[in-house]
Amino acid sequence: MTTTAPHTALVTHHRATENGPAPWTADELERRLRELAVSRYHDRHPFNQRMHRGRLTPTELRTWVANRFYYQCNIPIKDALILSKLQLPAQRRSWLRRIQDHDGHTDQDGGIERWLQLGEAVGLRRDELLDHQHLLPGVRLAVDGYVNFCRNAGVLEAVASSLTELCAPSIMLTRLETFPLHYPWIKSAGLSYFRGRVPQGRRDGSEALGWVRTWAVTREQQHQALAAVSFKCDVLWSLLDSVQGAADQDHCNA
Ligand SMILES: O=C(O)c1cc(C(=O)O)c2c(n1)C(=O)C(=O)c1cc(C(=O)O)[nH]c1-2
């Protein structure tokens, strides 16, 4: 059996070819992915900024919670689409855990149930959440856009689009810190969704990052991964644009 010296393999891997520029190293790709996610993440959106500074009215908070519920309901659906693209049992087992995190093992646990509890804690009824009575058109389009992206994209881009989760644990921690201060009327039990997502988001983000580092071996694939993160940042940003738009309209009508 012939083998290639490790250093030779490395040189071959990073050399520019007639097919395009040389790929970045996995570390450089990771640096670019993180930089993109951080710079475009929706924690910078004016609505999130107002939320974390305690400036939202109870009505605005309810609008956000009710609309984010549509995102929460669709996360396991997009994860099921990604699951169907994974070739290895170990990968599917691992991704399946994400669906279970949201759907729970019974009706009494899981992220969707915890989001419903958040809804009740801010003054929404379960039935109005479950029927998506307050769903805004732009939120529906943004979330459906994310699901369809994961339906139609290849596995690399679909997995890469979840990488905004690298930033999600810190936004959860911000909410856990600021909500009790600014919105003391929300019972602490209502915040259990945020508590649960801190370790889950860390684990999911680092798993997806490891896979993207391994799979994106050409510069073209690396650009695809970056474009997927950029698209996902747009999804999250558009969702908040719609929620902010509804708040502005309420303000004008008042
Ligand atoms: O509240 C947030 O700011 C936020 C952001 C994100 C994200 O960055 O995509 C997710 C979540 N929450 C979340 O709760 C969640 O379960 C989740 C799953 C995913 C994903 O793309 O697979 N993102 C996120």
Side-chain angles (χ1 to χ4, degrees), residues 41-42 68 71 78 102 146 164 172 175 193 232:
Y41 200 52
H42 66 165
R68 261 294 298 258
Y71 181 77
K78 73 91 189 166
H102 289 278
Y146 183 35
T164 47
M172 302 294 163
R175 291 182 193 139
Y193 180 82
K232 172 67 171 305

Side-chain angles (χ1 to χ4, degrees), residues 139-152 231 235:
V139 172
R140 185 200 292 277
L141 285 172
V143 173
D144 290 359
Y146 183 35
V147 174
N148 284 326
F149 180 88
C150 293
R151 190 191 314 276
N152 297 323
F231 168 77
V235 167

